[in-house]
Amino acid sequence: PDGALVESTFVEPADERSRQYGRDVGMERIVVTDLGEALTEGSPKLLIIDRHEELERHRPRIEELGAGRLVSTFSKWHYLEIIHPSVNKGAALIHLAKHLDIPVSETVAVGDAMNDCEMLAASGLGIAVANAHEELKQAADIVLSRTAGDGAIEEVEERFFQ
């Protein structure tokens, strides 16, 4: 509420997939029996966890139901995020740069998944890691030779900040 950072996740049901998501993002999980009742203030993001093929199969219907009020993007192969069109990492980067009084043209963004696309587009230099989604690599200014888990940040530091 009131722009506060939410550091917990409501889940239904409490299963291994929701436990894994909690570990992946480092958030507390709050198990509820009815998400509709738990989300009285709305939610900046709805996440569906399933096999990629199942998510792709249902994605067109989800977006049809949202009809311009939501967009969907993959943050991992098995995580489909559903968010308001104005809620994305690019908007967050612009907001942060303004808050820090840094021209957006002087920012650098590094990403690996499709939920990073707007951030790379908004930044002064958009960088995709070697193991990024192919579509994100196409949108990036530069593609690194290293992967997210194998020295990508070190490569950025070596190439651009020394």
Side-chain angles (χ1 to χ4, degrees):
D2 298 326
L5 178 63
V6 177
E7 296 182 4
S8 59
T9 304
F10 293 104
V11 298
E12 174 194 290
D15 59 10
E16 183 51 36
R17 293 180 299 183
S18 68
R19 281 187 284 283
Q20 182 61 50
Y21 180 74
R23 287 189 296 268
D24 285 351
V25 299
M27 283 189 182
E28 173 191 3
R29 292 177 322 120
I30 300 171
V31 180
V32 297
T33 56
D34 186 331
L35 282 175
E37 289 180 17
L39 299 175
T40 58
E41 298 293 322
S43 176
K45 174 172 76 174
L46 174 65
L47 178 75
I48 303 174
I49 304 171
D50 207 339
R51 292 187 332 273
H52 186 77
E53 306 78 41
E54 285 299 308
L55 297 172
E56 283 288 10
R57 187 167 71 85
H58 293 290
R59 188 177 186 190
R61 180 68 178 137
I62 291 167
E63 291 195 351
E64 177 185 319
L65 290 170
R69 296 171 303 169
L70 61 83
V71 294
S72 65
T73 186
F74 285 94
S75 56
K76 289 191 181 272
W77 198 243
H78 55 285
Y79 291 170
L80 180 64
E81 296 183 0
I82 301 168
I83 54 179
H84 187 275
S86 68
V87 176
N88 62 65
K89 292 181 181 183
L93 176 68
I94 292 167
H95 178 79
L96 179 62
K98 182 177 179 180
H99 177 75
L100 297 174
D101 199 27
I102 299 170
V104 176
S105 62
E106 294 184 21
T107 63
V108 175
V110 181
D112 65 346
M114 290 309 296
N115 66 330
D116 298 320
C117 197
E118 291 90 349
M119 177 179 67
L120 268 58
S123 69
L125 181 63
I127 302 174
V129 298
N131 61 330
H133 188 282
E134 201 56 44
E135 198 174 326
L136 188 71
K137 289 180 183 180
Q138 296 298 318
D141 298 311
I142 294 172
V143 178
L144 299 175
S145 61
R146 298 183 197 163
T147 65
D150 192 28
I153 296 304
E154 290 83 356
E155 182 179 346
V156 170
E157 290 172 349
E158 292 165 7
R159 289 178 65 179
F160 304 106
F161 296 103
Q162 290 188 1

